Amino acid sequence: MLKQQSHIVAPIPDELRTRALYTVGELRERGKADKEAINKLFNLIVDMTEEGLDFFFLEPLRRLHASSMMMGMAKMGISSMLKGSKMVVHKVLKKLDDRSLAAILDFIEEIIHEPEPG
């Protein structure tokens, strides 16, 4: 679905891509939205969110050679955003059922891509 729409792209480390795809496969195979699945999914979503926030908010500042004070202020703001999003994600995932777990796993698979050969 995303490839038929304009979209933005954020790079992630290969380790995170590999872990995301492994986690999706593992959780899909188990098919149960139990506590272990929710914890793994929560940690994955938090790590992916941190990478995205870094790329979209801090990377432009790094490229502009922002001062350390400006970077510090930006990091503090991002930290607050991350805390808020963690609370929301945790609250939503606590109520996750098996069908919703499958839908989230589908979404994660949809947004993860390998690098294009270059």
Side-chain angles (χ1 to χ4, degrees), residues 95-110:
K95 298 177 181 179
L96 202 65
D97 61 19
D98 297 347
R99 197 179 93 237
S100 299
L101 172 64
I104 290 175
L105 297 177
D106 289 344
F107 176 76
I108 291 172
E109 277 185 328
E110 187 178 355

Side-chain angles (χ1 to χ4, degrees), residues 69-93:
M69 186 166 68
M70 182 64 70
M71 291 297 289
M73 290 185 331
K75 286 177 182 178
M76 189 166 47
I78 289 170
S79 175
S80 295
M81 284 193 312
L82 189 59
K83 270 185 196 168
S85 65
K86 279 181 180 181
M87 289 188 322
V88 171
V89 168
H90 190 262
K91 194 171 221 171
V92 168
L93 291 181

Side-chain angles (χ1 to χ4, degrees), residues 5 12 15 21 23 41 44 46 56 59 63 73-74 79 85 101 105 113:
Q5 301 173 354
I12 58 172
E15 177 278 325
L21 295 176
T23 300
L41 190 56
L44 178 61
V46 167
F56 289 116
E59 184 60 23
R63 291 181 185 198
M73 290 185 331
S79 175
S85 65
L101 172 64
L105 297 177
H113 298 280

Side-chain angles (χ1 to χ4, degrees), residues 1-44:
M1 174 169 59
L2 286 177
K3 290 201 174 201
Q4 287 75 42
Q5 301 173 354
S6 296
H7 54 279
I8 57 177
V9 176
I12 58 172
D14 288 339
E15 177 278 325
L16 181 54
R17 179 182 52 83
T18 301
R19 183 165 53 94
L21 295 176
Y22 176 81
T23 300
V24 166
E26 178 188 7
L27 297 181
R28 190 179 302 286
E29 188 175 302
R30 290 177 57 214
K32 293 282 180 210
D34 58 14
K35 188 173 182 163
E36 182 182 347
I38 288 168
N39 286 336
K40 286 183 179 191
L41 190 56
F42 175 78
N43 290 326
L44 178 61

